[in-house]
Amino acid sequence: MRVSNKILFFVLDGASDRPVGKSTPLQSAITPNLDKLADTGISGIMDTIAPGIRPGSDTAHLSLLGYDPYKYYTGRGPFEAAGVGIDVKAGDVAFRCNFATLKDGLIVDRRAGRIRETTELAHSISEGVDVGTDFIFKESTGHRAAMVLRGEDLSADVTSNDPKKENKPMKEFHAISSKAEKTAKILNDFLAQSIDILESHPVNQERSSAGMPPANVILLRGAGLVPAIIPFEEKYGLKSAVVAAAGLVIGIGKMCGMEHVSFDGGTGGVDSDVVGKVRTAIKALEDHDFVLVNIKGADEAGHDGEFEKKRDFLSRIDEAFSEVLDLKDTMVVVTADHSTPVSIKDHTADPVPIMINGDGVRVDNVHAYNEIDAANGGLNRLRGMDIMHILMDLINRAEKFGA
Amino acid sequence: MRVSNKILFFVLDGASDRPVGKSTPLQSAITPNLDKLADTGISGIMDTIAPGIRPGSDTAHLSLLGYDPYKYYTGRGPFEAAGVGIDVKAGDVAFRCNFATLKDGLIVDRRAGRIRETTELAHSISEGVDVGTDFIFKESTGHRAAMVLRGEDLSADVTSNDPKKENKPMKEFHAISSKAEKTAKILNDFLAQSIDILESHPVNQERSSAGMPPANVILLRGAGLVPAIIPFEEKYGLKSAVVAAAGLVIGIGKMCGMEHVSFDGGTGGVDSDVVGKVRTAIKALEDHDFVLVNIKGADEAGHDGEFEKKRDFLSRIDEAFSEVLDLKDTMVVVTADHSTPVSIKDHTADPVPIMINGDGVRVDNVHAYNEIDAANGGLNRLRGMDIMHILMDLINRAEKFGA
């Protein structure tokens, strides 16, 4: 009897939904390949964190990889920072950042006119700011960036300078606990110095003269202490890779020590090259034991509340799965990180479908891949933290507890 | 797309059962309305505490409301005391009490001839007893009462004076731990003083001359330290009410800060006015977000071991549900706190059926409301502590964990 020895783990981000009328987007989509996998696999439903707990993409992915989010999720900053390519270390304090527009003390545009190119601005900040503590500031896509503070006696117990709404006064950083006073002072220093540099920066002078809002201030939020994470390979003995377009998911993969295998064509939206992404993942299986693939578009369509857009993107995902059907020696998992119902336009706690297809699974009577049929499957109802244990057992690499 | 914004939560106390022959009382009852709700809702089974753990009504209700009974259940006293209308406070030590009959040092009747009217006796105790510590003593229905001690250095680590069986000697109160010595002394003082008052009380002199057993002693049991409970409204942001006849359930509701909405006709037995209770609950929804309704009769029939009585009462419950079918914007939950199989005549840990009907639920293939069909439902198997999280998510008021 064959035993699969590799794991290909698909997260169809936000694909799970609630019925609109009589069916969900997954039920309405044309999914012969996913249905074939369900027909010859085992299905179930899964609370990626726990029943009734609304997951973020970050907390859900941690949980699916077997890292308890209640222990490892300290805020979004660390994962965003890792996602933009900063080599974060345990003990760093990390932030997600926006370039924004400050005028007369008010944040008049939280995205600085959706500025596209911030490399020079970020470079000038990195070179010109000195707050007496090491920091790494790096631009991301669009108006986004990330910052990491590294040193002694730092704390993430600080407020944000982001007023959250536009045309409100920018805030100062404040310590929430006494151990964060040094960090709050560093951040206020950073803010003052970066404003000086950005105000007079040629890029902004050019933007101002062209009538575009200058990117003259950095908003820092999502403060989090970078946790000490046992690398995935050490935890499971599996050489692992992540294929994703979303910085947050790449960041989670990197923080877990996964190799980020990039490919051209991933956008994180419904225009993403899904076929290319799936091929890249299959290719990555050649020299990895575990490949995590995040396909983001369905989540976007859910947030937009667009049923047809979501349904059609799920049909496109299915087409890309034709090449997954023939994989040998591979445990294929297809699940989601959370539901993003088009009726709610945000994440909900409704359980996600999970399907496992590979050598030795107890094939059940579920013949279609969707949230509703999955509830009748042989896996019944699981939690996200269970799934890596189950997969390790199915590829015969789980340790026995007892004799 | 509509999203329900209110929750109507029915606990059919002890309704869940085991098959007798081929069916359970719920399967045998005539329940077209409950079946309609199941048909258009989502079902499952639920361990109100955990698989195999036999729940009390008190621990189960706490769990269903999202209060971990292992943390908040310190004994039955606090909930009984709250149920009879004592405004208990965190730190109080509370007891459930019986008026009983003492003769030559023996408890010859633990219910004092099922005495019905004890208001004057309770009043005399409240006025006449002085133990150097504040106490509240209040009569309940029949021979029942409750007592609360309030002050410094009190403890619930005390034995009871109740011999549990009749014609046994009454016991003294003893401290189980050294910190309870003061409390044991107070209780023994209370006991001696109350016996003096009761012995010579006109009510008892009248009973004795009429040949009825005098209510000349108080048995105190179920000692519990009143826990610090986060009010339901603070915990969930929902204005809440409880509709129940059972003092214990009213007490739990009150301790959680729920408003007790009373109505005439609730008896806690199979003669209860179920239609009136359901109407009262529906009416209470007008100015509350969450209404807990406990319907007790099926539990009584279960304890009595009477299949037909239980079945017929469940059919009567169903009739009252006709008005529930048409509710708009309301998440309707129908479950039980525990099974009370007629074959066992006591609570068992068999999971209870749970059904949720409201906007956005993933309608499954369950068409009838009972323990057996529910096991095939889309909710699969839950725990009592999950259900409030799930409901908060369904009414779109859950907080997201992560981003």
mmCIF file of all heavy atoms in Angstrom, chain A residues 8 10 242-245 261-267 271-284 291 293-295 313 316-317 319-324:
data_model
loop_
_atom_site.group_PDB
_atom_site.id
_atom_site.type_symbol
_atom_site.label_atom_id
_atom_site.label_comp_id
_atom_site.label_asym_id
_atom_site.label_seq_id
_atom_site.Cartn_x
_atom_site.Cartn_y
_atom_site.Cartn_z
ATOM 1 N N LEU A 8 0.503 18.948 -0.088
ATOM 2 C CA LEU A 8 0.210 20.158 -0.859
ATOM 3 C C LEU A 8 -1.052 20.765 -0.244
ATOM 4 O O LEU A 8 -2.131 20.173 -0.328
ATOM 5 C CB LEU A 8 -0.002 19.791 -2.329
ATOM 6 C CG LEU A 8 -0.269 20.932 -3.301
ATOM 7 C CD1 LEU A 8 0.781 22.028 -3.226
ATOM 8 C CD2 LEU A 8 -0.361 20.390 -4.731
ATOM 9 N N PHE A 10 -3.668 23.650 0.141
ATOM 10 C CA PHE A 10 -4.292 24.820 -0.478
ATOM 11 C C PHE A 10 -5.202 25.552 0.504
ATOM 12 O O PHE A 10 -6.108 24.943 1.086
ATOM 13 C CB PHE A 10 -5.157 24.413 -1.671
ATOM 14 C CG PHE A 10 -4.364 23.967 -2.864
ATOM 15 C CD1 PHE A 10 -4.130 22.616 -3.098
ATOM 16 C CD2 PHE A 10 -3.843 24.905 -3.753
ATOM 17 C CE1 PHE A 10 -3.395 22.204 -4.207
ATOM 18 C CE2 PHE A 10 -3.108 24.497 -4.863
ATOM 19 C CZ PHE A 10 -2.875 23.141 -5.092
ATOM 20 N N VAL A 242 6.207 28.359 0.842
ATOM 21 C CA VAL A 242 4.930 29.053 0.749
ATOM 22 C C VAL A 242 4.831 29.734 -0.616
ATOM 23 O O VAL A 242 5.782 30.360 -1.078
ATOM 24 C CB VAL A 242 4.754 30.080 1.902
ATOM 25 C CG1 VAL A 242 5.901 31.066 1.975
ATOM 26 C CG2 VAL A 242 3.428 30.836 1.797
ATOM 27 N N VAL A 243 3.682 29.550 -1.264
ATOM 28 C CA VAL A 243 3.394 30.206 -2.545
ATOM 29 C C VAL A 243 2.182 31.096 -2.297
ATOM 30 O O VAL A 243 1.090 30.593 -2.013
ATOM 31 C CB VAL A 243 3.092 29.172 -3.653
ATOM 32 C CG1 VAL A 243 2.790 29.880 -4.970
ATOM 33 C CG2 VAL A 243 4.254 28.199 -3.815
ATOM 34 N N ALA A 244 2.380 32.396 -2.343
ATOM 35 C CA ALA A 244 1.305 33.328 -2.011
ATOM 36 C C ALA A 244 1.617 34.687 -2.600
ATOM 37 O O ALA A 244 2.787 35.019 -2.858
ATOM 38 C CB ALA A 244 1.151 33.449 -0.499
ATOM 39 N N ALA A 245 0.579 35.478 -2.811
ATOM 40 C CA ALA A 245 0.783 36.856 -3.267
ATOM 41 C C ALA A 245 0.609 37.824 -2.098
ATOM 42 O O ALA A 245 1.211 38.887 -2.059
ATOM 43 C CB ALA A 245 -0.210 37.197 -4.375
ATOM 44 N N VAL A 261 8.452 30.842 -2.331
ATOM 45 C CA VAL A 261 8.664 30.585 -3.757
ATOM 46 C C VAL A 261 7.777 31.563 -4.512
ATOM 47 O O VAL A 261 6.548 31.463 -4.467
ATOM 48 C CB VAL A 261 8.290 29.129 -4.116
ATOM 49 C CG1 VAL A 261 8.455 28.903 -5.611
ATOM 50 C CG2 VAL A 261 9.155 28.157 -3.329
ATOM 51 N N SER A 262 8.402 32.518 -5.175
ATOM 52 C CA SER A 262 7.608 33.538 -5.848
ATOM 53 C C SER A 262 7.345 33.139 -7.291
ATOM 54 O O SER A 262 7.991 32.254 -7.845
ATOM 55 C CB SER A 262 8.327 34.881 -5.789
ATOM 56 O OG SER A 262 9.585 34.758 -6.411
ATOM 57 N N PHE A 263 6.356 33.756 -7.869
ATOM 58 C CA PHE A 263 6.109 33.546 -9.299
ATOM 59 C C PHE A 263 5.458 34.801 -9.834
ATOM 60 O O PHE A 263 4.843 35.568 -9.084
ATOM 61 C CB PHE A 263 5.235 32.310 -9.529
ATOM 62 C CG PHE A 263 3.774 32.567 -9.423
ATOM 63 C CD1 PHE A 263 2.974 32.602 -10.565
ATOM 64 C CD2 PHE A 263 3.173 32.793 -8.189
ATOM 65 C CE1 PHE A 263 1.612 32.849 -10.468
ATOM 66 C CE2 PHE A 263 1.822 33.038 -8.082
ATOM 67 C CZ PHE A 263 1.035 33.070 -9.220
ATOM 68 N N ASP A 264 5.599 35.042 -11.104
ATOM 69 C CA ASP A 264 4.990 36.223 -11.706
ATOM 70 C C ASP A 264 3.517 35.944 -11.949
ATOM 71 O O ASP A 264 3.146 34.863 -12.350
ATOM 72 C CB ASP A 264 5.672 36.549 -13.040
ATOM 73 C CG ASP A 264 7.125 36.958 -12.816
ATOM 74 O OD1 ASP A 264 7.432 37.445 -11.710
ATOM 75 O OD2 ASP A 264 7.937 36.749 -13.734
ATOM 76 N N GLY A 265 2.691 36.907 -11.694
ATOM 77 C CA GLY A 265 1.281 36.739 -12.033
ATOM 78 C C GLY A 265 0.366 36.646 -10.847
ATOM 79 O O GLY A 265 -0.855 36.682 -10.991
ATOM 80 N N GLY A 266 0.927 36.522 -9.656
ATOM 81 C CA GLY A 266 0.076 36.516 -8.463
ATOM 82 C C GLY A 266 -0.268 37.941 -8.090
ATOM 83 O O GLY A 266 0.609 38.792 -7.986
ATOM 84 N N THR A 267 -1.529 38.231 -7.932
ATOM 85 C CA THR A 267 -1.943 39.613 -7.635
ATOM 86 C C THR A 267 -2.685 39.707 -6.307
ATOM 87 O O THR A 267 -2.854 40.797 -5.764
ATOM 88 C CB THR A 267 -2.895 40.157 -8.715
ATOM 89 O OG1 THR A 267 -4.127 39.420 -8.636
ATOM 90 C CG2 THR A 267 -2.296 40.038 -10.098
ATOM 91 N N ASP A 271 -7.924 38.709 -10.579
ATOM 92 C CA ASP A 271 -7.205 38.665 -11.848
ATOM 93 C C ASP A 271 -5.906 37.861 -11.731
ATOM 94 O O ASP A 271 -5.104 37.821 -12.650
ATOM 95 C CB ASP A 271 -6.896 40.097 -12.314
ATOM 96 C CG ASP A 271 -6.082 40.871 -11.284
ATOM 97 O OD1 ASP A 271 -6.050 40.434 -10.103
ATOM 98 O OD2 ASP A 271 -5.485 41.894 -11.650
ATOM 99 N N SER A 272 -5.712 37.206 -10.593
ATOM 100 C CA SER A 272 -4.470 36.477 -10.349
ATOM 101 C C SER A 272 -4.354 35.293 -11.314
ATOM 102 O O SER A 272 -5.352 34.711 -11.734
ATOM 103 C CB SER A 272 -4.462 35.973 -8.904
ATOM 104 O OG SER A 272 -3.172 35.574 -8.528
ATOM 105 N N ASP A 273 -3.106 34.942 -11.643
ATOM 106 C CA ASP A 273 -2.849 33.803 -12.522
ATOM 107 C C ASP A 273 -2.878 32.529 -11.682
ATOM 108 O O ASP A 273 -1.851 32.074 -11.188
ATOM 109 C CB ASP A 273 -1.492 33.999 -13.201
ATOM 110 C CG ASP A 273 -1.053 32.760 -13.971
ATOM 111 O OD1 ASP A 273 -1.888 31.846 -14.188
ATOM 112 O OD2 ASP A 273 0.122 32.708 -14.344
ATOM 113 N N VAL A 274 -4.054 31.951 -11.536
ATOM 114 C CA VAL A 274 -4.199 30.798 -10.636
ATOM 115 C C VAL A 274 -3.492 29.573 -11.196
ATOM 116 O O VAL A 274 -2.855 28.813 -10.462
ATOM 117 C CB VAL A 274 -5.687 30.485 -10.372
ATOM 118 C CG1 VAL A 274 -5.805 29.416 -9.288
ATOM 119 C CG2 VAL A 274 -6.433 31.729 -9.928
ATOM 120 N N VAL A 275 -3.599 29.393 -12.498
ATOM 121 C CA VAL A 275 -2.931 28.236 -13.111
ATOM 122 C C VAL A 275 -1.432 28.306 -12.838
ATOM 123 O O VAL A 275 -0.804 27.321 -12.431
ATOM 124 C CB VAL A 275 -3.215 28.184 -14.631
ATOM 125 C CG1 VAL A 275 -2.365 27.109 -15.295
ATOM 126 C CG2 VAL A 275 -4.697 27.927 -14.886
ATOM 127 N N GLY A 276 -0.874 29.499 -13.030
ATOM 128 C CA GLY A 276 0.561 29.677 -12.780
ATOM 129 C C GLY A 276 0.917 29.399 -11.335
ATOM 130 O O GLY A 276 1.950 28.775 -11.032
ATOM 131 N N LYS A 277 0.057 29.842 -10.439
ATOM 132 C CA LYS A 277 0.331 29.639 -9.009
ATOM 133 C C LYS A 277 0.307 28.161 -8.648
ATOM 134 O O LYS A 277 1.195 27.657 -7.952
ATOM 135 C CB LYS A 277 -0.696 30.406 -8.172
ATOM 136 C CG LYS A 277 -0.417 30.348 -6.688
ATOM 137 C CD LYS A 277 -1.401 31.201 -5.887
ATOM 138 C CE LYS A 277 -0.925 32.632 -5.720
ATOM 139 N NZ LYS A 277 -1.838 33.446 -4.889
ATOM 140 N N VAL A 278 -0.696 27.447 -9.164
ATOM 141 C CA VAL A 278 -0.807 26.013 -8.850
ATOM 142 C C VAL A 278 0.386 25.265 -9.451
ATOM 143 O O VAL A 278 0.975 24.392 -8.805
ATOM 144 C CB VAL A 278 -2.153 25.451 -9.350
ATOM 145 C CG1 VAL A 278 -2.190 23.935 -9.211
ATOM 146 C CG2 VAL A 278 -3.307 26.085 -8.568
ATOM 147 N N ARG A 279 0.776 25.632 -10.687
ATOM 148 C CA ARG A 279 1.949 24.986 -11.309
ATOM 149 C C ARG A 279 3.214 25.245 -10.505
ATOM 150 O O ARG A 279 4.051 24.360 -10.325
ATOM 151 C CB ARG A 279 2.146 25.517 -12.733
ATOM 152 C CG ARG A 279 1.241 24.810 -13.682
ATOM 153 C CD ARG A 279 1.629 25.062 -15.140
ATOM 154 N NE ARG A 279 0.548 24.565 -15.969
ATOM 155 C CZ ARG A 279 0.149 25.116 -17.108
ATOM 156 N NH1 ARG A 279 0.766 26.195 -17.580
ATOM 157 N NH2 ARG A 279 -0.841 24.580 -17.780
ATOM 158 N N THR A 280 3.354 26.490 -10.037
ATOM 159 C CA THR A 280 4.527 26.837 -9.222
ATOM 160 C C THR A 280 4.561 25.982 -7.966
ATOM 161 O O THR A 280 5.616 25.475 -7.560
ATOM 162 C CB THR A 280 4.460 28.333 -8.835
ATOM 163 O OG1 THR A 280 4.416 29.111 -10.024
ATOM 164 C CG2 THR A 280 5.676 28.739 -8.005
ATOM 165 N N ALA A 281 3.401 25.782 -7.376
ATOM 166 C CA ALA A 281 3.331 24.980 -6.150
ATOM 167 C C ALA A 281 3.692 23.521 -6.426
ATOM 168 O O ALA A 281 4.446 22.896 -5.669
ATOM 169 C CB ALA A 281 1.929 25.081 -5.556
ATOM 170 N N ILE A 282 3.149 22.986 -7.531
ATOM 171 C CA ILE A 282 3.440 21.581 -7.872
ATOM 172 C C ILE A 282 4.938 21.410 -8.131
ATOM 173 O O ILE A 282 5.575 20.443 -7.685
ATOM 174 C CB ILE A 282 2.601 21.132 -9.093
ATOM 175 C CG1 ILE A 282 1.116 21.068 -8.684
ATOM 176 C CG2 ILE A 282 3.071 19.786 -9.623
ATOM 177 C CD1 ILE A 282 0.153 20.799 -9.829
ATOM 178 N N LYS A 283 5.498 22.388 -8.803
ATOM 179 C CA LYS A 283 6.936 22.371 -9.085
ATOM 180 C C LYS A 283 7.733 22.426 -7.765
ATOM 181 O O LYS A 283 8.737 21.712 -7.599
ATOM 182 C CB LYS A 283 7.254 23.575 -9.959
ATOM 183 C CG LYS A 283 8.707 23.808 -10.282
ATOM 184 C CD LYS A 283 9.084 23.156 -11.616
ATOM 185 C CE LYS A 283 10.580 23.401 -11.898
ATOM 186 N NZ LYS A 283 11.215 22.184 -12.396
ATOM 187 N N ALA A 284 7.253 23.256 -6.844
ATOM 188 C CA ALA A 284 7.959 23.399 -5.563
ATOM 189 C C ALA A 284 7.964 22.102 -4.764
ATOM 190 O O ALA A 284 8.830 21.872 -3.920
ATOM 191 C CB ALA A 284 7.333 24.526 -4.733
ATOM 192 N N VAL A 291 4.083 22.182 0.875
ATOM 193 C CA VAL A 291 3.926 23.461 0.175
ATOM 194 C C VAL A 291 2.560 24.046 0.544
ATOM 195 O O VAL A 291 1.521 23.415 0.353
ATOM 196 C CB VAL A 291 4.057 23.305 -1.356
ATOM 197 C CG1 VAL A 291 3.829 24.644 -2.050
ATOM 198 C CG2 VAL A 291 5.433 22.748 -1.712
ATOM 199 N N VAL A 293 -0.119 26.853 -0.234
ATOM 200 C CA VAL A 293 -0.519 27.724 -1.342
ATOM 201 C C VAL A 293 -1.722 28.542 -0.905
ATOM 202 O O VAL A 293 -2.757 27.989 -0.564
ATOM 203 C CB VAL A 293 -0.947 26.906 -2.584
ATOM 204 C CG1 VAL A 293 -1.036 27.811 -3.810
ATOM 205 C CG2 VAL A 293 -0.022 25.742 -2.818
ATOM 206 N N ASN A 294 -1.574 29.840 -0.928
ATOM 207 C CA ASN A 294 -2.710 30.709 -0.615
ATOM 208 C C ASN A 294 -3.214 31.355 -1.893
ATOM 209 O O ASN A 294 -2.450 31.991 -2.620
ATOM 210 C CB ASN A 294 -2.292 31.792 0.392
ATOM 211 C CG ASN A 294 -3.423 32.779 0.667
ATOM 212 O OD1 ASN A 294 -3.686 33.680 -0.133
ATOM 213 N ND2 ASN A 294 -4.110 32.605 1.783
ATOM 214 N N ILE A 295 -4.513 31.160 -2.166
ATOM 215 C CA ILE A 295 -5.138 31.787 -3.340
ATOM 216 C C ILE A 295 -6.173 32.770 -2.815
ATOM 217 O O ILE A 295 -7.132 32.389 -2.156
ATOM 218 C CB ILE A 295 -5.778 30.723 -4.262
ATOM 219 C CG1 ILE A 295 -4.718 29.701 -4.685
ATOM 220 C CG2 ILE A 295 -6.399 31.392 -5.482
ATOM 221 C CD1 ILE A 295 -5.255 28.550 -5.530
ATOM 222 N N PHE A 313 -14.636 33.268 -9.823
ATOM 223 C CA PHE A 313 -13.230 33.067 -9.469
ATOM 224 C C PHE A 313 -13.018 31.644 -8.938
ATOM 225 O O PHE A 313 -12.007 31.005 -9.239
ATOM 226 C CB PHE A 313 -12.768 34.099 -8.431
ATOM 227 C CG PHE A 313 -11.316 33.974 -8.103
ATOM 228 C CD1 PHE A 313 -10.352 34.348 -9.029
ATOM 229 C CD2 PHE A 313 -10.896 33.463 -6.879
ATOM 230 C CE1 PHE A 313 -8.989 34.212 -8.737
ATOM 231 C CE2 PHE A 313 -9.553 33.327 -6.586
ATOM 232 C CZ PHE A 313 -8.591 33.705 -7.506
ATOM 233 N N ARG A 316 -12.653 29.429 -11.741
ATOM 234 C CA ARG A 316 -11.303 29.555 -12.313
ATOM 235 C C ARG A 316 -10.284 28.785 -11.475
ATOM 236 O O ARG A 316 -9.365 28.165 -12.022
ATOM 237 C CB ARG A 316 -10.885 31.032 -12.378
ATOM 238 C CG ARG A 316 -11.393 31.733 -13.627
ATOM 239 C CD ARG A 316 -10.725 33.090 -13.800
ATOM 240 N NE ARG A 316 -9.292 32.989 -13.807
ATOM 241 C CZ ARG A 316 -8.460 33.857 -13.220
ATOM 242 N NH1 ARG A 316 -8.958 34.915 -12.595
ATOM 243 N NH2 ARG A 316 -7.166 33.683 -13.268
ATOM 244 N N ILE A 317 -10.438 28.849 -10.153
ATOM 245 C CA ILE A 317 -9.548 28.054 -9.299
ATOM 246 C C ILE A 317 -9.677 26.585 -9.686
ATOM 247 O O ILE A 317 -8.691 25.870 -9.844
ATOM 248 C CB ILE A 317 -9.898 28.240 -7.805
ATOM 249 C CG1 ILE A 317 -9.519 29.643 -7.322
ATOM 250 C CG2 ILE A 317 -9.187 27.173 -6.955
ATOM 251 C CD1 ILE A 317 -9.834 29.896 -5.840
ATOM 252 N N GLU A 319 -10.425 25.165 -12.460
ATOM 253 C CA GLU A 319 -9.709 24.816 -13.697
ATOM 254 C C GLU A 319 -8.241 24.542 -13.413
ATOM 255 O O GLU A 319 -7.640 23.615 -13.957
ATOM 256 C CB GLU A 319 -9.838 25.950 -14.723
ATOM 257 C CG GLU A 319 -11.232 26.052 -15.318
ATOM 258 C CD GLU A 319 -11.394 27.327 -16.160
ATOM 259 O OE1 GLU A 319 -10.384 27.838 -16.678
ATOM 260 O OE2 GLU A 319 -12.541 27.807 -16.259
ATOM 261 N N ALA A 320 -7.658 25.366 -12.550
ATOM 262 C CA ALA A 320 -6.242 25.197 -12.243
ATOM 263 C C ALA A 320 -5.969 23.883 -11.522
ATOM 264 O O ALA A 320 -4.844 23.386 -11.526
ATOM 265 C CB ALA A 320 -5.759 26.370 -11.387
ATOM 266 N N PHE A 321 -7.017 23.319 -10.928
ATOM 267 C CA PHE A 321 -6.828 22.075 -10.167
ATOM 268 C C PHE A 321 -6.729 20.837 -11.051
ATOM 269 O O PHE A 321 -6.496 19.743 -10.539
ATOM 270 C CB PHE A 321 -7.946 21.903 -9.127
ATOM 271 C CG PHE A 321 -7.566 22.448 -7.784
ATOM 272 C CD1 PHE A 321 -7.575 23.812 -7.534
ATOM 273 C CD2 PHE A 321 -7.156 21.605 -6.750
ATOM 274 C CE1 PHE A 321 -7.211 24.337 -6.302
ATOM 275 C CE2 PHE A 321 -6.789 22.113 -5.505
ATOM 276 C CZ PHE A 321 -6.814 23.479 -5.285
ATOM 277 N N SER A 322 -6.943 21.000 -12.355
ATOM 278 C CA SER A 322 -6.867 19.814 -13.208
ATOM 279 C C SER A 322 -5.509 19.130 -13.053
ATOM 280 O O SER A 322 -5.412 17.914 -13.103
ATOM 281 C CB SER A 322 -7.124 20.193 -14.669
ATOM 282 O OG SER A 322 -6.124 21.086 -15.098
ATOM 283 N N GLU A 323 -4.471 19.939 -12.836
ATOM 284 C CA GLU A 323 -3.132 19.340 -12.740
ATOM 285 C C GLU A 323 -2.862 18.718 -11.367
ATOM 286 O O GLU A 323 -1.867 18.022 -11.188
ATOM 287 C CB GLU A 323 -2.072 20.399 -13.052
ATOM 288 C CG GLU A 323 -2.347 21.007 -14.421
ATOM 289 C CD GLU A 323 -1.226 21.893 -14.929
ATOM 290 O OE1 GLU A 323 -0.074 21.675 -14.539
ATOM 291 O OE2 GLU A 323 -1.527 22.795 -15.727
ATOM 292 N N VAL A 324 -3.747 19.024 -10.420
ATOM 293 C CA VAL A 324 -3.558 18.460 -9.075
ATOM 294 C C VAL A 324 -4.058 17.013 -9.022
ATOM 295 O O VAL A 324 -3.564 16.190 -8.244
ATOM 296 C CB VAL A 324 -4.298 19.327 -8.025
ATOM 297 C CG1 VAL A 324 -4.205 18.726 -6.632
ATOM 298 C CG2 VAL A 324 -3.749 20.748 -8.040
#
